[in-house]
């Protein structure tokens, strides 16, 4: 893994420990975090405060979540980091949501510049209903 992939992994480790402040600690003030509009927590968020807001909105829809990153892949440009995730969660409506997703990051000198989520939003929407 390269330096920027290591930085992203460290933030995922923080999230896994429930340390939301740590999870967003290297997010640049100008960073944009983009989630599909079809999700209740969808939209574009800016900076560490925006990223934290998105995470809190996401978590507020679940009784439990257990995302497990399976790979941290750094692109040839050194700034692109792709994270594949296997996840399971129980929604507040009592449904289980399982699936795979991908996060696409741009990271410069260990700082998160952008993040975008790709996953099965229809499955998530159905599980939340």
């Amino acid at each position: 893994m390269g330096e920027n992939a290591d930085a992203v992994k460290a933030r995922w480790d923080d999230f896994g420990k429930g340390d939301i402040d740590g999870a967003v600690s290297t997010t640049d003030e100008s960073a944009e975090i983009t989630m599909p509009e079809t999700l209740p927590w969808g939209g574009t968020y800016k900076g560490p405060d925006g990223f934290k807001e998105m995470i809190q909105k996401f978590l507020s829809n679940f009784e439990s979540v257990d995302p497990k990153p399976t790979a941290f892949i750094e692109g040839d440009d050194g700034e692109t980091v792709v994270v594949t995730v296997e996840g399971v969660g129980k929604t507040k409506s009592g449904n289980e949501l399982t699936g795979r997703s991908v996060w696409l990051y741009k990271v410069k000198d260990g700082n998160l510049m952008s993040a975008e989520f790709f996953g099965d939003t229809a499955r998530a929407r159905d599980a939340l209903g």
Side-chain angles (χ1 to χ4, degrees):
M1 236 183 319
E3 176 184 325
N4 285 326
D6 287 340
V8 172
K9 183 181 183 314
R11 301 298 65 85
W12 271 91
D13 290 346
D14 290 336
F15 179 77
K17 293 184 276 188
D19 180 3
I20 305 305
D21 289 328
V24 303
S25 65
T26 58
T27 303
D28 191 83
E29 288 294 330
S30 66
E32 289 191 350
I33 296 81
T34 306
M35 303 296 292
E37 293 283 346
T38 53
L39 295 169
W41 54 89
T44 300
Y45 300 84
K46 193 159 187 149
D49 290 338
F51 200 178
K52 190 173 180 178
E53 176 188 356
M54 185 282 299
I55 292 170
Q56 291 167 334
K57 284 182 180 180
F58 166 74
L59 292 173
S60 74
N61 286 275
F62 291 87
E63 293 291 333
S64 64
V65 293
D66 187 20
K68 296 205 181 309
T70 56
F72 295 85
I73 305 159
E74 190 166 295
D76 290 341
D77 65 1
E79 293 184 358
T80 301
V81 178
V82 178
V83 180
T84 58
V85 182
E86 302 265 347
V88 62
K90 183 175 179 183
T91 67
K92 294 261 174 128
S93 56
N95 297 316
E96 185 175 278
L97 175 61
T98 61
R100 297 189 305 184
S101 61
V102 173
W103 280 87
L104 177 62
Y105 295 92
K106 281 289 187 183
V107 183
K108 187 170 184 171
D109 299 323
N111 293 310
L112 176 69
M113 304 308 291
S114 69
E116 189 169 1
F117 170 85
F118 299 89
D120 188 343
T121 59
R123 179 185 287 196
R125 185 191 63 235
D126 291 347
L128 292 165

